[in-house]
Amino acid sequence: MCRKPPNSLIPEELRAATNLRIGRLARAHTPPEKREEAIFEIVNQLNRGAALITARDEREQLAELNLIAASAPRAATAYASALTYLTAGAALLLERFMERRHELTFALELNRAECEFLTGRAGWKRSSA
């Protein structure tokens, strides 16, 4: 895997593009059998540059990677961390494409709702009765 320079050394106007490039390189050069070990590094880099991703297929692929990345913290009851990945993944699916990727959209939204509920961020109030 490539080493990334500290973000503070990258001019702010180039950070998103640099992070996206690093994430793409990491994804491309990480063998499938090592991808699980590197999922957080790959997804975090790609998420930092997600605003620059315009291709529908790449947005959907990153949404899937965010769903995968959310599974480990969710299983460890680190719901706030999982929520970060689930929210990022859902944001990548443009409304007009949600129908096309119904299962992915459903998985992201269901898991996000669960994590929001478990972290108290859902706005639901428990009855004291």
Side-chain angles (χ1 to χ4, degrees):
M1 175 142 342
C2 60
R3 288 231 166 241
K4 65 177 182 138
N7 263 351
S8 62
L9 298 178
I10 302 169
E12 190 167 341
E13 65 274 8
L14 299 176
R15 285 183 191 160
T18 302
N19 290 129
L20 182 57
R21 181 177 164 91
I22 291 168
R24 285 173 172 162
L25 287 168
R27 182 182 60 206
H29 290 89
T30 302
E33 65 274 6
K34 300 279 189 180
R35 184 138 316 151
E36 190 174 318
E37 295 171 29
I39 191 74
F40 298 110
E41 181 65 27
I42 293 168
V43 171
N44 289 335
Q45 290 294 335
L46 291 171
N47 281 347
R48 288 184 194 114
L52 302 176
I53 300 173
T54 57
R56 180 189 69 204
D57 290 343
E58 187 175 10
R59 292 177 71 84
E60 290 173 356
Q61 183 181 46
L62 180 52
E64 289 173 359
L65 291 173
N66 272 285
L67 181 60
I68 294 166
S71 64
R74 192 170 153 266
T77 68
Y79 301 115
S81 294
L83 187 55
T84 300
Y85 293 109
L86 295 165
T87 301
L92 288 158
L93 297 176
L94 302 175
E95 195 169 312
R96 64 184 183 267
F97 300 129
M98 287 183 175
E99 187 71 27
R100 186 177 108 81
R101 295 298 308 268
H102 177 73
E103 289 180 21
L104 176 59
T105 301
F106 182 78
L108 286 164
E109 294 296 346
L110 177 66
N111 286 294
R112 183 169 76 167
E114 178 184 331
C115 289
E116 285 175 344
F117 176 76
L118 292 168
T119 58
R121 295 185 188 171
W124 296 315
K125 302 246 182 200
R126 277 180 80 183
S127 172
S128 57

